[in-house]
Amino acid sequence: MDMNDKKKQRQSMFLYILIAVLAMSLLRTFVYPSVMNGTVKETSYSEFLQMVDSGEVEKVDLDSDTRQITYTTGEGESEQLYKTTQFPNDSTLVERLEKSGVTFSAHLQDETATLMLYLLINLLPLIIFLFGGWLLNRRLRKQMGDDNNMSFGGGFGLGGGLGRSGAKEVKGEDTGVTFRDVAGQDEAKESLAEIVGFLKNPERYAAIGAKLPHGALLVGPPGTGKTLLAKACAGEANVPFFSISGSEFVEMFVGRGAARVRDLFRQANEKAPCIIFIDEIDAIGKRRDTSLNSNDEREQTLNQLLAEMDGFDNHKGIVVLAATNRPESLDPALTRPGRFDRRIPVELPDLTGREAILRLHAGDVRMEPGIDFGVIARMTPGASGADLANMINEAALRAVRMGRNRVSQNDILESVDVVIAGEKKKSTVLSEHEKEVVSYHETGHAIVAAVQDGKKPVSKITIVPRTSGALGFTMQAEEDEHYLTTREEYKQQIAVLCGGRAAEELIFGVMTSGAANDIERATRIARAMVTQLGMSERFGMMALGQTRNQYLGGDATLTCSEGTAQEVDAEVQRLVEEGHQSALETLRMNRFKLHEIAHYLQKKETITGEEFMRILTRDDGFAPKMPAAE
Ligand code: ADP
Ligand code: MG
Ligand code: ZN
């Protein structure tokens, strides 16, 4: 037991006694008087004498030391007890009593009996409280099986069950999830299938002498189904599932994290074969370092976790799964062989994966027949499983709002916009002029996109303001998934992003704030081309940056000297400007189509990709023209 534990134990003991004393004095002031004296009435001496004279009094008892008189009236049921104190030197009392025919007696105070009674009344509650606390504490310790842990207050629930691991145990069949509930992610499922096999049949592996991984780390962007996969593992293998989230370790009290880890593994050991799942492990597994703000508590917890993972007997079949979206921040000790030696990537779903996820979730809601999930999957590159699940749900909500009892294709298309760009914002009312500017801006994007090689056709243009702040957007769908992007394609992307601003400049001769997001994205692409992808003439294949948080946006830090950084900026600026000029040229050449489509869009507010293409490619002498290739 360390210093912290002792100190805490003393604290909670003190707290407990405080509560006991408080409760006791409450009892004494409120409960006892009514129990002991509830039926005893205090009267004055004169009243007593009157009552004696009137013959009401039946019995009188005098305490010869304290001169306390206890007397009764009535008999049997109606008997009533009274109390009073004798007036000094009243020598006539005996006479009066005799005259009224009262039975009377006197007694000497029994010192020891009174003392005993006094002690009993005052100390009994304290004894009961302390004994109760001791019992509870003992039971708690037995539950924890941890003799080091004398958390006195724990018995009373002070501090929220101190020392318990807080892990939720769920029976395997009760996670309610199997691999069938996870769409796509076939590689991850394959990797986990072996672990499932091991959990189902640990002896077979032991017999041959094969050692299974102690742990597997699920890494990937948020919402890709890591937590879901872990649960599905337990469901498949039908074993208990202990899950705890990394953030839960970060407790109010210091020194608890390590105890929790210890307890978690002890519980698991009893229930093996089983799965321990540590969600968001980066909360405790962060690289230990010497920086000033290092966190002792976290390090202790991590050390305990490392020790437990080395210590447990894997023949019994315990598998530790963990999930994170910041694998690079994990302590190397965690990922070395023998601990989380398996790394299972859970990436964003591709086209077929997205369609499968949409279909899976659509199975839970009532759909109109003949919904084309392929179209929706193509519209949503970069969406995670959680996004897609959310889209289906939003679509169902919309169907209800519209008073229908089935979800239509349109509902889903609308909900795609909601998930990507936010709800429609009714409170934002654009003036006609602003609407015109936004129409030209979006049409500018669309035309620049359309005249390119056609791999990413425009699927929708809208100028309905969204809660995300966007005043409109142009959506491009991918024909089919591709995993390599060429330098030309990046340049085209930059040009498309510049198309909005280019249209504003060309038609109105103004620049508006509407292009801020476009500019940010175009610059990010250009920067990646220069610093990471080796796509600039100036630097060639030199890496000038390093990605951090690959799964959380993937921002890069420069790793070059200051002088080079300046050159990088210049190169980035050159690339973006190139795209800008190319967009301007494209729009200049297709000026008439730009006018026509922008006005049509302004009137209709939302147009589909087909409508757009119909106007753009209509054979009227203004067919789309592409700028000559450089
Ligand atoms: P993560 O832990 O990776 O952040 P979750 O496992 O919590 O993501 O996924 C959140 C939700 O998204 C799940 O409950 C599920 O409804 C949905 N989801 C994500 N990926 C998938 C998938 N591959 N198949 C089906 N549903 C998925
Ligand atoms: Mg999760
Ligand atoms: Zn734009």
Side-chain angles (χ1 to χ4, degrees):
M1 191 191 304
D2 60 22
M3 288 288 287
N4 272 327
D5 274 1
K6 267 203 183 126
K7 200 167 139 202
K8 225 171 318 152
Q9 186 196 324
R10 230 177 299 136
Q11 269 178 5
S12 46
M13 182 101 94
F14 179 72
L15 202 61
Y16 187 83
I17 290 175
L18 200 76
I19 288 188
V21 169
L22 238 145
M24 202 184 69
S25 52
L26 278 179
L27 267 179
R28 274 174 54 83
T29 28
F30 293 113
V31 184
Y32 281 160
S34 58
V35 172
M36 308 285 290
N37 310 334
T39 51
V40 182
K41 280 192 188 153
E42 198 109 22
T43 55
S44 66
Y45 191 62
S46 57
E47 269 176 285
F48 164 63
L49 290 181
Q50 264 171 25
M51 282 162 91
V52 169
D53 290 345
S54 65
E56 281 173 69
V57 179
E58 293 287 335
K59 257 189 256 166
V60 171
D61 186 68
L62 174 76
D63 187 313
S64 31
D65 285 328
T66 58
R67 316 302 287 177
Q68 277 264 323
I69 294 173
T70 321
Y71 63 100
T72 61
T73 60
E75 260 178 306
E77 280 289 294
S78 58
E79 190 179 85
Q80 170 67 48
L81 209 57
Y82 293 92
K83 232 168 69 179
T84 188
T85 310
Q86 191 184 13
F87 199 74
N89 309 321
D90 180 11
S91 52
T92 59
L93 183 60
V94 177
E95 236 173 79
R96 281 193 182 199
L97 291 174
E98 272 188 328
K99 210 164 90 193
S100 306
V102 181
T103 331
F104 60 94
S105 58
H107 68 267
L108 279 170
Q109 197 175 35
D110 185 345
E111 298 273 343
T112 46
T114 322
L115 193 69
M116 287 287 279
L117 193 73
Y118 181 83
L119 281 178
L120 203 67
I121 288 170
N122 287 286
L123 291 184
L124 191 67
L126 188 66
I127 291 165
I128 289 173
F129 268 102
L130 288 179
F131 183 69
W134 176 76
L135 264 185
L136 277 167
N137 188 40
R138 217 177 61 138
R139 224 187 55 201
L140 204 83
R141 265 200 293 159
K142 228 158 82 191
Q143 267 175 16
M144 295 189 303
D146 182 358
D147 345 65
N148 289 340
N149 237 317
M150 266 268 293
S151 64
F152 209 86
F156 231 42
L158 304 169
L162 297 175
R164 307 289 316 279
S165 72
K168 292 183 273 297
E169 187 207 334
V170 181
K171 289 264 175 341
E173 63 264 34
D174 294 343
T175 57
V177 185
T178 63
F179 282 158
R180 254 172 298 138
D181 299 297
V182 187
Q185 306 296 2
D186 293 328
E187 302 80 8
K189 278 196 241 175
E190 212 165 283
S191 304
L192 290 169
E194 192 177 15
I195 290 177
V196 170
F198 169 61
L199 286 168
K200 274 185 173 161
N201 219 337
E203 307 84 28
R204 251 183 60 202
Y205 286 79
I208 211 168
K211 283 198 191 71
L212 243 101
H214 271 193
L217 191 63
L218 298 157
V219 299
T224 46
K226 299 181 294 295
T227 309
L228 192 67
L229 273 165
K231 283 186 188 157
C233 255
E236 285 286 321
N238 203 2
V239 294
F241 182 72
F242 294 93
S243 83
I244 190 158
S245 173
S247 54
E248 286 169 40
F249 280 117
V250 186
E251 278 278 289
M252 187 161 61
F253 290 123
V254 200
R256 279 297 144 201
R260 281 189 153 204
V261 172
R262 216 181 309 141
D263 182 47
L264 181 62
F265 277 82
R266 192 193 46 71
Q267 280 184 42
N269 211 21
E270 282 166 13
K271 294 276 168 68
C274 68
I275 290 179
I276 297 177
F277 177 54
I278 305 174
D279 211 352
E280 319 287 350
I281 196 174
D282 42 284
I284 44 167
K286 237 180 256 151
R287 197 181 293 269
R288 288 164 293 184
D289 53 22
T290 47
S291 71
L292 279 177
N293 56 6
S294 78
N295 183 337
D296 263 359
E297 162 69 357
R298 213 193 59 226
E299 283 190 12
Q300 274 183 24
T301 310
L302 176 56
N303 285 335
Q304 187 69 42
L305 180 65
L306 295 177
E308 292 290 347
M309 286 198 72
D310 283 342
F312 72 75
D313 172 13
N314 207 23
H315 293 304
K316 284 173 112 175
I318 300 178
V319 172
V320 187
L321 295 179
T324 180
N325 37 38
R326 312 182 50 185
E328 70 288 332
S329 75
L330 291 183
D331 196 284
L334 259 181
T335 45
R336 78 138 166 79
R339 288 178 187 140
F340 290 108
D341 37 12
R342 241 189 225 186
R343 189 177 167 128
I344 302 176
V346 186
E347 298 288 348
L348 288 173
D350 59 9
L351 188 60
T352 44
R354 288 199 297 275
E355 189 172 338
I357 294 172
L358 284 168
R359 278 183 195 287
L360 184 86
H361 285 278
D364 300 335
V365 290
R366 275 175 48 193
M367 292 271 171
E368 274 176 7
I371 296 226
D372 189 350
F373 291 102
V375 168
I376 295 146
R378 241 173 277 129
M379 287 171 74
T380 49
S384 69
D387 288 333
L388 296 168
N390 190 13
M391 280 172 199
I392 296 291
N393 191 48
E394 283 289 338
L397 293 177
R398 188 179 127 95
V400 174
R401 263 203 309 271
M402 298 298 196
R404 274 181 277 111
N405 56 6
R406 275 176 199 282
V407 175
S408 70
Q409 178 98 11
N410 232 343
D411 290 329
I412 309 183
L413 290 175
E414 271 300 318
S415 71
V416 170
D417 296 354
V418 169
V419 173
I420 289 177
E423 268 316 324
K424 284 180 183 168
K425 199 169 169 186
K426 300 217 174 60
S427 58
T428 312
V429 182
L430 295 183
S431 69
E432 275 311 307
H433 175 64
E434 279 174 328
K435 249 168 121 175
E436 193 179 4
V437 174
V438 176
S439 298
Y440 273 96
H441 177 110
E442 295 305 332
T443 311
H445 284 308
I447 289 181
V448 177
V451 300
Q452 279 158 353
D453 54 16
K455 280 198 193 127
K456 280 180 149 190
V458 173
S459 59
K460 181 176 194 168
I461 318 174
T462 165
I463 55 163
V464 179
R466 298 278 160 173
T467 46
S468 66
L471 295 178
F473 59 90
T474 303
M475 205 189 275
Q476 284 176 273
E478 283 182 49
E479 277 297 81
D480 34 35
E481 199 97 12
H482 60 291
Y483 302 92
L484 288 175
T485 311
T486 63
R487 178 158 177 259
E488 268 323 299
E489 283 163 345
Y490 279 126
K491 283 185 159 185
Q492 289 176 359
Q493 283 179 18
I494 295 176
V496 171
L497 286 166
C498 293
R501 165 61 63 83
E504 292 172 16
E505 285 175 282
L506 203 64
I507 305 300
F508 302 97
V510 295
M511 297 183 188
T512 70
S513 56
N517 183 253
D518 300 336
I519 293 170
E520 194 183 316
R521 282 161 61 195
T523 310
R524 197 182 311 139
I525 295 173
R527 192 167 285 278
M529 285 173 75
V530 177
T531 61
Q532 291 172 282
L533 304 170
M535 288 181 180
S536 69
E537 280 101 25
R538 173 67 188 80
F539 295 105
M541 281 182 56
M542 182 184 178
L544 297 162
Q546 209 176 22
T547 359
R548 285 178 312 160
N549 297 341
Q550 179 192 357
Y551 295 117
L552 299 171
D555 49 338
T557 44
L558 283 184
T559 52
C560 52
S561 70
E562 263 175 56
T564 316
Q566 273 187 7
E567 285 186 54
V568 168
D569 289 341
E571 192 64 17
V572 170
Q573 193 250 335
R574 207 185 56 74
L575 274 171
V576 176
E577 190 48 35
E578 199 182 296
H580 182 205
Q581 290 307 329
S582 144
L584 274 172
E585 199 180 338
T586 306
L587 293 179
R588 238 180 246 126
M589 292 167 76
N590 296 286
R591 192 185 270 262
F592 293 101
K593 294 286 181 190
L594 175 59
H595 282 304
E596 186 181 352
I597 298 170
H599 284 127
Y600 184 66
L601 176 62
Q602 189 183 349
K603 206 164 66 214
K604 298 260 295 188
E605 299 202 338
T606 300
I607 62 175
T608 63
E610 288 94 64
E611 283 175 282
F612 167 74
M613 286 311 281
R614 210 181 53 233
I615 302 178
L616 187 70
T617 56
R618 197 179 52 220
D619 193 10
D620 52 6
F622 299 112
K625 298 180 190 68
M626 264 195 274
E630 332 146 32

